[in-house]
């Protein structure tokens, strides 16, 4: 049996995973994808019969943070094995080939999987001046996108740059950066925004596509509803404090220490759709609000240019008392410097003599 | 005492118990299993604890060790199961109330049983070959 013929069920059995293991994975995925729990068995059966899915990944105007976070998903899970099961036929940063050999690989992968491959894009698409600001092998990103989207089954726009233009699009947008859907129409596109996006969301979308042969239900910004259907605020564990009107007024006041709501410190949770508060980051460790900082709204369009900046409340106002904070910081720095100076110039006392 | 206790939970627990009763009735009439995904509901830890306590402990408790540990426990209401699936890191990936004669995941899979038969065949063939020597 060749790798192409092998089903996911065969591969899991070969690696010692039982049908129960696959069903357990499907139960967790249906919960993650907000599907009716009764669909878990159908998902497990479909996954067991699924063949290797080709993914062609093109990186455009990006920082590689999206790829980095997706590679950091937790290791020996079935989700990890499903990443193994996906045939990542082209990814410039990961593949050994380069130059003309890499370009040949790309064309062979497209020809072999015509109409079936998923085209994954990270990074925005610069379109100003014919797209000359980002080229691969001398070819503009926008031309590559137009060429390789033609035979794709669907497009995954991974990260806020690919979804909406992201940071490259921020004012004054010197390269004319846009998102994938500003260039491509008439193709199924799923946006998986975030700076970076949550790895589990990508695995959820891949598992759904492999299981049911189509993209999951999307919202009006083409994001998977299961993960972007509610706001960070709706799921936030600090939400009861918002409802009670208990707000931190600065990052080091009593309210902040008590874990009160960060709304007045500029938290964009109420207008940001994402699953950070439920899926969390770093294998479920925490998410920004849990670490004491408001949400920046990185999964929403134009988050970098939002009015008032990151630290002004959505209700307006002046944000935290930066002047006071600045003075406190200056006093702290001066105090720290003095202490450090004193410590470095302190003559150590001789060790106390001990009786013999 | 948690941050959420002031919200109260009696109403939510009662509503969920009514849903469980409805699923049990459906199963008895149509043999159609039902599941409630508790992680998908906005339940506080206090509310979950109250629900678990109201359902109580039954006669069966099973530990499933595959891709992390799962605890499957029948509640004091036969046919109503409290299932907690954790991954390899111990994180809860699914928390369910299942209504069925037995949760589906307890059944052995056909392919796994075929594999068992093959392995048993190897063992018995080896034993026969050894006794023939």
């Amino acid at each position: 049996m060749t790798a192409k013929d092998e089903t996911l069920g065969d591969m899991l059995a070969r690696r010692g995973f039982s049908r129960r293991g696959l069903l357990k994975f499907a139960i967790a995925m249906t919960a993650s994808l907000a599907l009716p729990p009764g669909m878990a068995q159908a998902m497990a059966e479909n996954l067991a019969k699924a063949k290797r899915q080709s993914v062609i990944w093109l990186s455009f105007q990006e920082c590689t943070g999206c790829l980095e976070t997706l590679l950091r998903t937790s290791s020996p899970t079935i989700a990890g094995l499903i990443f193994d099961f996906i045939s990542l036929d082209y990814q410039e940063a990961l593949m050994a080939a380069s130059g003309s050999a890499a370009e040949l690989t790309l064309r062979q992968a497209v020809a072999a999987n015509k109409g079936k491959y998923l085209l994954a894009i990270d990074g925005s698409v610069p379109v100003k001046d014919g797209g000359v600001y980002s080229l691969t092998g001398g070819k503009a990103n926008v031309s590559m996108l137009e060429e390789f989207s033609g035979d794709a089954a669907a497009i995954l726009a991974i990260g806020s740059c690919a979804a909406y233009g992201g940071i490259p699009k921020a004012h004054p947008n010197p390269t004319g950066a846009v998102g994938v859907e500003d260039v491509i129409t008439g193709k199924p596109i799923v946006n998986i925004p975030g700076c970076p996006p949550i790895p589990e969301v990508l695995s959820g979308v891949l598992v759904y596509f492999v299981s049911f042969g189509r993209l999951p239900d999307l919202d009006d910004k083409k994001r998977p509803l299961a993960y972007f259907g509610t706001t960070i605020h709706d799921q936030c564990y600090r939400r009861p404090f918002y409802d009670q009107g208990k707000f931190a007024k600065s990052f080091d006041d009593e309210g902040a220490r008590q874990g009160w709501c960060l709304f007045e410190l500029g938290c964009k949770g109420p207008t940001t759709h994402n699953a950070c508060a439920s899926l969390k980051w770093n294998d479920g460790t925490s998410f920004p609000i849990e670490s004491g900082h408001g949400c920046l709204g990185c999964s929403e369009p134009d988050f970098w240019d939002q009015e008032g900046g990151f630290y002004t409340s959505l209700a307006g106002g002046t944000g935290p008392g930066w002047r006071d904070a600045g003075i406190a910081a200056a006093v702290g720095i001066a105090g720290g410097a003095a202490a450090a100076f004193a410590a470095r110039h302190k003559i150590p006392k001789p060790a106390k003599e001990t009786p013999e | 005492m948690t941050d959420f206790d002031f919200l109260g939970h009696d109403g939510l627990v009662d509503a969920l118990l009514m849903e469980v009763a409805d699923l049990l009735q459906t199963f008895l009439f149509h043999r159609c299993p039902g599941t409630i995904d508790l992680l998908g509901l906005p339940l506080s830890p206090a509310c979950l604890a109250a629900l678990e306590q109201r359902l109580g402990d039954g006669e069966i408790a099973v530990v499933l060790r595959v891709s992390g540990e799962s605890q499957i426990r029948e509640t004091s209401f036969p046919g109503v199961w409290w299932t907690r699936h954790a991954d390899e890191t111990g994180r809860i990936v699914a928390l369910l109330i299942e209504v069925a004669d037995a949760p589906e995941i307890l059944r052995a899979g056909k392919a796994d049983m075929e594999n068992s038969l093959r392995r048993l065949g190897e063992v018995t063939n080896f034993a026969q070959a050894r006794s023939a020597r």
Side-chain angles (χ1 to χ4, degrees), chain A residues 18-323:
Chain A
S18 66
R19 168 251 184 206
R20 287 194 188 101
L22 186 56
L23 182 56
K24 178 172 172 176
F25 172 73
I27 288 168
M29 288 313 300
T30 49
S32 169
L33 284 158
L35 297 171
M39 285 182 76
Q41 204 177 333
M43 178 183 271
E45 286 167 9
N46 290 349
L47 280 173
K49 288 183 277 188
K51 295 275 177 67
R52 193 171 278 261
Q53 172 64 46
S54 169
V55 176
I56 291 173
W57 184 311
L58 303 178
S59 294
F60 293 161
Q61 199 165 233
E62 47 83 41
C63 69
T64 315
C66 295
L67 180 64
E68 189 68 25
T69 189
L70 298 171
L71 293 174
R72 297 288 171 267
T73 50
S74 55
S75 40
T77 61
I78 295 188
L81 292 175
I82 283 178
F83 273 116
D84 288 351
F85 183 68
I86 280 161
S87 176
L88 190 56
D89 290 326
Y90 182 87
Q91 212 300 329
E92 290 154 12
L94 301 180
M95 61 199 295
S98 62
S100 54
E103 287 170 33
L104 180 65
T105 304
L106 174 58
R107 294 192 184 285
Q108 284 174 339
V110 168
N113 298 286
K114 203 170 177 176
K116 294 178 189 164
Y117 63 87
L118 287 172
L119 184 66
I121 305 290
D122 67 329
S124 64
V125 192
V127 295
K128 193 176 170 186
D129 301 328
V132 295
Y133 299 105
S134 181
L135 311 173
T136 303
K139 193 159 188 176
N141 293 164
V142 64
S143 307
M144 292 178 77
L145 178 60
E146 284 165 347
E147 180 179 351
F148 296 116
S149 63
D151 290 324
I155 301 175
L156 313 176
I158 298 169
S160 291
C161 296
Y164 314 125
I167 292 174
K169 191 191 169 196
H171 181 76
N173 190 6
T175 64
V178 297
V180 168
E181 62 175 320
D182 295 315
V183 177
I184 301 299
T185 52
K187 271 279 164 196
I189 296 176
V190 57
N191 287 329
I192 306 173
C195 189
I198 300 175
E200 285 85 350
V201 177
L202 177 63
S203 49
V205 170
L206 287 172
V207 166
Y208 190 95
F209 189 83
V210 172
S211 301
F212 303 114
R214 64 179 183 86
L215 296 176
D217 291 340
L218 308 176
D219 70 1
D220 62 337
K221 292 191 176 77
K222 294 189 168 63
R223 302 175 292 200
L225 259 176
Y227 301 104
F228 294 89
T230 58
T231 63
I232 300 285
H233 185 62
D234 288 337
Q235 303 172 65
C236 183
Y237 75 105
R238 296 194 192 211
R239 173 66 187 265
F241 294 118
Y242 175 91
D243 294 335
Q244 295 174 70
K246 291 179 175 172
F247 299 103
K249 307 283 185 188
S250 77
F251 286 108
D252 58 355
D253 70 1
E254 188 54 27
R257 287 190 197 100
Q258 295 292 330
W260 290 358
C261 178
L262 301 169
F263 179 83
E264 293 193 6
L265 296 175
C267 180
K268 304 298 183 285
T271 54
T272 303
H273 294 76
N274 207 338
C276 304
S278 52
L279 293 178
K280 302 192 179 180
W281 285 88
N282 301 318
D283 292 336
T285 304
S286 65
F287 69 112
I289 293 171
E290 205 168 345
S291 303
H293 194 283
C295 165
L296 299 181
C298 74
S299 56
E300 294 295 327
D302 303 322
F303 80 99
W304 201 262
D305 287 331
Q306 56 200 319
E307 199 175 337
F310 292 146
Y311 296 101
T312 303
S313 151
L314 287 166
T318 56
W322 290 118
R323 187 177 162 276

Side-chain angles (χ1 to χ4, degrees), chain B residues 2-133:
Chain B
T2 73
D3 295 337
F4 301 92
D5 279 353
F6 70 93
L7 292 172
H9 46 251
D10 288 348
L12 276 171
V13 172
D14 288 344
L16 282 165
L17 291 176
M18 277 191 266
E19 175 75 11
V20 171
D22 195 42
L23 290 175
L24 195 53
Q25 192 171 33
T26 304
F27 184 76
L28 286 171
F29 278 97
H30 304 290
R31 304 294 296 169
C32 178
T35 307
I36 300 173
D37 171 14
L38 295 173
L39 289 188
L41 299 174
L43 302 175
S44 68
C47 186
L48 274 174
L51 179 63
E52 192 172 5
Q53 193 179 15
R54 291 274 291 276
L55 287 170
D57 272 334
E59 297 170 339
I60 300 175
V62 179
V63 175
L64 175 70
R65 291 192 187 89
V66 56
S67 306
E69 190 170 288
S70 300
Q71 294 168 357
I72 302 160
R73 186 169 53 73
E74 195 174 37
T75 68
S76 65
F77 302 93
V80 179
W81 302 79
W82 185 273
T83 303
R84 185 192 307 265
H85 293 295
D87 66 12
E88 288 88 345
T89 66
R91 182 161 60 129
I92 307 297
V93 292
L95 184 61
L96 310 169
I97 295 175
E98 297 186 79
V99 177
D101 43 10
E104 181 60 31
I105 202 162
L106 293 181
R107 298 177 198 283
K110 184 168 173 279
D112 295 333
M113 288 193 284
E114 286 166 353
N115 188 32
S116 298
L117 191 59
R118 195 164 47 247
R119 283 165 50 214
L120 284 167
E122 286 166 12
V123 171
T124 50
N125 287 342
F126 176 75
Q128 280 170 2
R130 192 172 53 183
S131 60
R133 275 205 297 270

